[in-house]
Amino acid sequence: MPTVYLHPIGLDARLWRDIAGPDDVALNLPGFGGTPAPDGGPSFPALVEFALRGLREPADLVGVSLGSMVAQHAALLRPDMVRSVLLACGGAATDPETSRGRARAARETGMAGVLPSTLDRWFTPEALAADGHPGVAYARDRLLADDPEVFAAYWEMMAGHDLTEALRDVTVPATVLAAVDDLAAPVVAMKDLADRVPGARFEVIAGPHIVPLENRAGFTDAVRRHLALVAT
């Protein structure tokens, strides 16, 4: 049974090194990590089809932030190809004005302009202050290499993400994972998501918004717990 890993906006499949297994699928979403940007801009239905293409059997989806949103849409749009979902640090809805504001900022200032605020949302102050923190270094380099137009288009797409009512129709097993120091998707927002998904498990672990880059062991253990439960 494959596991498909879905990364946050601006990052790529390298996020999943030492987490994804040899038979798993770690994707570069369109426009990131060398995958061509989608014609006409991204959409959640198209990202769902991109994530599931080529699969011969239902998969477990693990998503962080944007990846959590894609996995939520997949559970609703293609339950025939989704065995389970682990939804980390990405809630049931976004604030549209905040998302559109981040799109405007990317277009107006470029990736260098949005880098400081993005890293501040993604990491704890301790990680940002650490000399040579590998997670921060990877995120910084990856973001600076991104196309600001692609980054902006994804934020515009996310401005329309609101599944607060639809999530009650999810039929696949779900784990909702929150991070204690997450400023972008706080624990309370992730608990609200868990409460909306029938039968969802809810976990809280240490770490910030991009929790795999700061609490890799804790995140990996949470994924393994989820996969062990859905395999039984």
Side-chain angles (χ1 to χ4, degrees):
M1 185 72 64
T3 301
V4 177
Y5 288 85
L6 302 166
H7 62 76
I9 187 172
L11 300 183
D12 60 16
R14 287 178 293 169
L15 176 66
W16 310 118
R17 287 180 180 173
D18 304 322
I19 296 177
D23 297 325
D24 295 333
V25 180
L27 295 172
N28 292 312
L29 293 176
F32 302 113
T35 301
D39 293 334
S43 71
F44 280 112
L47 289 174
V48 168
E49 293 307 312
F50 179 85
L52 300 179
R53 68 181 184 179
L55 294 178
R56 297 181 180 179
E57 58 184 329
D60 301 302
L61 305 185
V62 173
V64 174
S65 191
L66 166 64
S68 168
M69 300 177 201
V70 175
Q72 292 170 47
H73 284 265
L76 290 164
L77 293 173
R78 292 296 307 276
D80 59 309
M81 290 303 295
V82 177
R83 183 176 75 158
S84 74
V85 291
L86 184 146
L87 311 171
C89 304
T94 62
D95 178 73
E97 286 308 308
T98 298
S99 296
R100 293 188 189 106
R102 289 172 185 161
R104 287 193 299 270
R107 290 194 173 102
E108 292 170 1
T109 68
M111 295 309 298
V114 301
L115 180 68
S117 61
T118 302
L119 294 180
D120 284 346
R121 287 195 308 275
W122 283 11
F123 294 97
T124 62
E126 292 76 16
L128 292 173
D131 185 27
H133 188 287
V136 175
Y138 156 66
R140 179 183 292 111
D141 291 347
R142 180 60 261 169
L143 287 166
L144 289 174
D146 284 333
D147 181 338
E149 178 56 39
V150 171
F151 195 76
Y154 269 87
W155 275 114
E156 288 176 337
M157 177 194 73
M158 286 190 285
H161 171 68
D162 186 348
L163 298 179
T164 51
E165 297 302 322
L167 287 169
R168 62 190 172 193
D169 295 326
V170 171
T171 58
V172 303
T175 292
V176 176
L177 186 65
V180 171
D181 296 313
D182 190 345
L183 301 179
V187 171
V188 65
M190 297 308 295
K191 181 63 167 63
D192 177 74
L193 168 59
D195 289 343
R196 293 177 183 277
V197 177
R201 296 174 59 250
F202 181 61
E203 284 196 45
V204 182
I205 63 173
H209 186 55
I210 309 300
V211 65
L213 290 179
E214 201 166 327
N215 182 9
R216 204 162 187 81
F219 180 84
T220 302
D221 287 345
V223 171
R224 289 174 178 165
R225 284 192 295 273
H226 171 78
L227 295 177
L229 284 169
V230 299
T232 58

